[in-house]
């Protein structure tokens, strides 16, 4: 039997190599995984041309995954620097990497990225269109936009953000309902501008079937972009955001009819008390499709610390049903992130994802914490460093402040509660 996509295979009862790999990593029965993929509850982004891929599953019952954004811009156009970030992101266990390059000829960077990365690769093709064709946005044709999508698919990109939900009706809703921060999605703003300048429908909405043909041919997962995601707390859960989400639910069904895998992208900036309800709403309106969120950032006042505001929101979102977290760095809203910014963002996102996995009861998540607690009880410093989410930083902090007694730290010294309890209970606890 033959199949075009992972969803096609699952519906035919075919267990692919990618499904077997994901089932092993997730400790889930492969038959159960196949059912989830067939129903669209789990996606396995796996372009047929991405030969170096170590596939991951995103969705129901899977560990919460994290994505890292990279790429060149006009002001920071150094491919080698970005590739260094790629290597470091993979070392720090990123599950996916998105190339958000928006300047010049991006093909070299994209191809090298796909070749070197075992993580899933995503892109936003509309970012590339202006540089690829060297034309003003309004002059780019529908065929040219679809041509960029096909080019990215040929190059091995596993998932693509496509802002197909901002159709003319969504745009009208946006224009009728004043926002504090308007449209903050770069891709959404580009397509809104194209529509306004040309007085035409969004080409990715109008020619959605042509888009699905490309995705089916290469097994590209569509990540349906949220052009109207809120860029401030004030704009969260407004009419434009909800209208677009309804459209994305309709587009999800159309993709599934063609066997194309789908994720849904979500907010954005959002108050703490609205996050859980938004996760429920997305799952309901988009039929249980995996949900991919940027943050959400729970306050707007912390430039330089938005990896923290994002991790707070991300943990709540994932515990409430989100499946995929897009990392946010301390440089968000300020500049292109450095290597250190990237590390801070990845670690913060991984902490949020792991905290959510504990809350969701994901197999094996809690054991990591129990092992760390046992190492602390035994004052086993090497084991604590081994288990730390960032062993390098833990070792550095320990080395910078040496205690008088090796089995303590410089916070409590001989008054260490753990040390003293071990001594008092030594007769009944010989494991330490």
């Amino acid at each position: 039997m033959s199949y075009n996509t992972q969803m096609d295979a699952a519906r035919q009862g075919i267990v692919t190599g990618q499904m077997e790999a994901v089932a092993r990593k997730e400790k889930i029965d492969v038959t159960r995984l196949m059912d989830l993929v067939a129903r669209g509850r789990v996606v396995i982004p796996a372009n047929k041309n991405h030969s170096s891929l170590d596939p991951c599953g995103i969705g129901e019952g899977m560990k919460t995954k994290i994505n890292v954004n990279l790429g060149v811009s006009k002001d920071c156009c150094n491919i080698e620097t970005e590739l260094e970030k790629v290597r470091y992101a993979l070392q720090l266990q990123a599950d996916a990497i998105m190339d958000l390059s928006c300047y010049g000829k991006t093909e070299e960077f994209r191809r090298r990225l796909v070749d070197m990365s075992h993580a899933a690769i995503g892109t936003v093709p509309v970012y590339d269109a202006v540089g690829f064709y060297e034309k003003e946005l309004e002059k780019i044709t529908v065929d040219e936009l679809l041509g960029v999508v096909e080019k990215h698919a040929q190059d091995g990109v596993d998932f693509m953000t496509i802002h197909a939900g901002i159709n003319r009706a969504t745009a009208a809703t946006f224009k009728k309902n004043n926002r504090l921060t308007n449209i903050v999605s770069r891709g959404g703003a580009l397509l809104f501008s194209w529509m306004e300048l040309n007085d035409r429908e969004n080409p990715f909405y109008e020619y959605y079937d042509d888009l699905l043909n490309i995705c089916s041919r290469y097994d590209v997962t569509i990540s349906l972009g949220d052009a109207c995601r809120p860029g401030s707390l004030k704009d969260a859960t407004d009419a434009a955001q909800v209208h677009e989400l309804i459209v994305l639910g309709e587009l999800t069904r159309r993709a599934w009819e063609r066997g194309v895998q789908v994720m849904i992208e979500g907010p954005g900036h959002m108050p703490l008390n609205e996050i859980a309800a938004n996760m429920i709403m997305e799952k309901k309106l988009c039929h249980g499709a995996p949900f991919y969120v940027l943050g959400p950032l729970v306050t707007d006042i912390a430039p330089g610390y938005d990896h923290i505001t994002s991790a707070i929101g991300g943990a709540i979102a994932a515990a409430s049903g989100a499946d995929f977290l897009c990392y946010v760095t301390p440089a968000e809203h300020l500049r292109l992130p450095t290597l250190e910014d990237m590390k801070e963002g990845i670690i913060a996102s991984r902490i949020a994802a792991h905290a959510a996995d504990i809350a969701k009861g994901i197999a094996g998540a809690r054991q990591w914490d129990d092992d760390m607690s046992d190492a602390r009880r035994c004052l086993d410093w090497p084991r604590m460093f081994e288990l730390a989410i960032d062993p390098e930083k833990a070792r550095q902090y320990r080395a910078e402040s040496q205690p008088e007694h090796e089995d303590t730290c410089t916070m409590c010294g001989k008054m260490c509660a753990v040390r003293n309890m071990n001594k008092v209970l030594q007769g009944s606890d010989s494991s330490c």
Side-chain angles (χ1 to χ4, degrees):
M1 290 189 288
S2 62
Y3 61 89
N4 286 328
T5 68
Q6 295 293 318
M7 178 175 269
D8 282 339
R11 288 173 173 174
Q12 295 179 55
I14 300 171
V15 177
T16 66
Q18 291 85 354
M19 291 180 206
E20 289 177 337
V22 170
R24 283 195 302 271
K25 288 193 282 188
E26 298 287 345
K27 299 180 175 60
I28 184 174
D29 180 77
V30 73
T31 304
R32 168 68 176 152
L33 175 62
M34 185 167 57
D35 175 65
L36 291 168
V37 173
R39 293 189 291 123
R41 299 299 182 92
V42 169
V43 298
I44 303 176
N47 187 309
K48 295 172 182 178
N49 291 343
H50 189 176
S51 58
S52 61
L53 178 68
D54 181 9
C56 73
I58 301 167
E60 184 178 313
M62 308 287 105
K63 291 189 288 289
T64 305
K65 303 305 188 297
I66 70 158
N67 172 70
V68 169
N69 291 337
L70 298 161
V72 297
S73 67
K74 185 174 183 179
D75 292 313
C76 298
C77 190
N78 189 317
I79 288 178
E80 297 307 322
T81 297
E82 292 307 297
L83 289 173
E84 184 181 1
K85 290 180 187 177
V86 173
R87 286 185 280 270
Y88 198 26
L90 295 173
Q91 180 184 326
L92 292 170
Q93 300 180 42
D95 299 295
I97 293 173
M98 287 200 79
D99 172 16
L100 303 188
S101 295
C102 59
Y103 175 71
K105 301 296 184 182
T106 62
E107 181 179 14
E108 179 191 351
F109 177 69
R110 183 170 57 253
R111 285 188 168 181
R112 290 176 67 181
L113 173 61
V114 170
D115 287 344
M116 72 187 293
S117 177
H118 60 262
I121 299 300
T123 59
V124 188
V126 73
Y127 290 0
D128 194 24
V130 174
F132 187 82
Y133 292 112
E134 297 181 338
K135 296 170 68 172
E136 293 297 320
L137 176 66
E138 65 183 293
K139 302 296 185 184
I140 298 174
T141 68
V142 172
D143 286 343
E144 287 172 336
L145 287 170
L146 291 171
V148 172
V149 171
E150 178 134 30
K151 178 66 180 134
H152 285 216
Q154 289 172 345
D155 289 344
V157 171
D158 303 293
F159 64 100
M160 296 185 201
T161 294
I162 305 291
H163 298 89
I166 184 164
N167 58 14
R168 299 197 82 167
T170 305
T173 299
F174 159 72
K175 287 189 283 188
K176 287 177 186 174
N177 294 270
N178 291 334
R179 276 186 156 192
L180 180 61
T181 49
N182 294 315
I183 292 176
V184 299
S185 159
R186 193 190 327 175
L190 287 170
L191 283 165
F192 177 83
S193 299
W194 189 96
M195 292 161 64
E196 292 290 300
L197 292 167
N198 290 288
D199 192 26
R200 290 187 60 182
E201 180 59 274
N202 179 347
F204 291 131
Y205 179 80
E206 185 175 1
Y207 296 92
Y208 192 61
D209 287 335
D210 296 305
L211 178 70
L212 294 177
N213 288 339
I214 297 169
C215 293
S216 175
R217 192 153 56 246
Y218 297 92
D219 196 3
V220 171
T221 298
I222 295 181
S223 189
L224 285 170
D226 52 336
C228 294
R229 71 170 183 263
S232 61
L233 299 191
K234 191 176 190 308
D235 295 338
T237 324
D238 71 350
Q241 179 197 330
V242 176
H243 188 290
E244 183 179 33
L245 192 61
I246 293 169
V247 176
L248 297 184
E250 296 167 355
L251 294 174
T252 297
R253 284 194 182 279
R254 287 177 59 186
W256 285 349
E257 288 170 3
R258 299 286 300 278
V260 174
Q261 301 184 95
V262 176
M263 296 187 287
I264 308 297
E265 296 187 12
H269 294 235
M270 184 161 286
L272 277 170
N273 59 306
E274 295 183 24
I275 293 174
N278 267 263
M279 302 307 108
I280 294 169
M281 179 170 62
E282 182 278 340
K283 291 289 183 177
K284 185 73 172 177
L285 293 177
C286 297
H287 323 296
F291 200 18
Y292 172 26
V293 296
L294 175 65
L297 282 66
V298 295
T299 179
D300 298 332
I301 62 163
Y305 298 91
D306 277 330
H307 60 310
I308 298 173
T309 66
S310 169
I312 294 168
I316 295 169
S320 303
D323 308 286
F324 194 21
L325 303 180
C326 187
Y327 93 146
V328 173
T329 77
E332 186 78 7
H333 303 112
L334 300 172
R335 59 169 167 79
L336 198 72
T338 64
L339 271 176
E340 186 58 30
D341 294 332
M342 188 186 73
K343 177 182 177 179
E344 292 293 316
I346 291 174
I347 297 299
S349 293
R350 287 187 59 206
I351 292 169
H354 178 67
D357 286 348
I358 294 170
K360 289 190 285 192
I362 297 296
R366 177 62 177 272
Q367 189 60 51
W368 187 3
D369 295 73
D370 291 346
D371 290 345
M372 175 63 89
S373 296
D374 186 61
R376 284 176 173 155
R377 178 179 63 89
C378 294
L379 294 169
D380 184 346
W381 297 98
R383 179 67 172 152
M384 286 185 241
F385 299 148
E386 178 186 334
L387 290 165
I389 198 165
D390 183 1
E392 180 184 8
K393 189 170 188 176
R395 289 192 182 95
Q396 175 191 335
Y397 274 38
R398 174 76 172 167
E400 287 175 351
S401 188
Q402 289 292 317
E404 177 185 1
H405 299 277
E406 191 60 32
D407 59 351
T408 67
C409 77
T410 55
M411 174 70 79
C412 299
K414 289 180 68 175
M415 293 180 67
C416 173
V418 176
R419 178 179 185 268
N420 290 332
M421 288 302 296
N422 287 347
K423 284 185 174 294
V424 170
L425 299 173
Q426 191 171 14
S428 61
D429 185 357
S430 59
S431 64
C432 297

